């Protein structure tokens, strides 16, 4: 065999191996970036859920206070109506 044939016989498989490992590395990097973006999205969604839950708890407390006030007024009205009878 000629010198070029030996060179080709060793160069092309070695080049193919390098290309395969490069694509594997590139794939791992891209997957890591996607996971990081996905984790950030989950963190943002969790933060928004916590904020919404706190807001809902505050609204529920306000409604509970208003309901307690209404119940006391109704009890007062019932008492007045019983006295009138």
């Amino acid at each position: 065999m000629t010198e070029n044939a030996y060179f080709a016989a060793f160069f092309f498989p070695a080049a193919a191996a390098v290309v395969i490992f490069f694509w594997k590395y590139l794939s791992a990097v891209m997957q890591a970036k996607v996971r990081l973006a996905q984790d950030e999205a989950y963190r943002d969604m969790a933060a928004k859920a916590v904020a919404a839950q706190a807001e809902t708890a505050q609204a529920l407390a306000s409604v509970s206070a208003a309901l307690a006030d209404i119940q006391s007024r109704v009890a007062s009205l019932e008492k007045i109506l019983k006295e009138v009878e």
Side-chain angles (χ1 to χ4, degrees), residues 3-5 9 11 39 52 57 60 64 68 72 74 76-77 79 81:
E3 188 176 310
N4 288 339
F11 175 74
D39 290 347
L60 182 61
S64 294
S72 68
V74 167
S76 173
L77 282 173
K79 186 177 181 182
L81 287 175

Side-chain angles (χ1 to χ4, degrees), residues 4-46:
N4 288 339
Y6 285 120
F7 178 70
F10 291 113
F11 175 74
F12 290 120
V18 168
V19 168
I20 289 170
F21 285 118
F22 172 74
W23 282 108
K24 187 176 177 183
Y25 172 76
L26 186 64
S27 172
V29 168
M30 290 174 64
Q31 286 177 358
K33 285 183 181 180
V34 168
R35 275 193 213 113
L36 181 63
Q38 193 175 27
D39 290 347
E40 289 295 324
Y42 282 135
R43 281 189 198 105
D44 290 343
M45 186 170 45

Side-chain angles (χ1 to χ4, degrees), residues 56-74:
T56 302
Q58 184 180 9
L60 182 61
S62 173
V63 169
S64 294
L67 181 62
D69 183 47
I70 290 171
Q71 284 176 338
S72 68
R73 288 181 183 186
V74 167

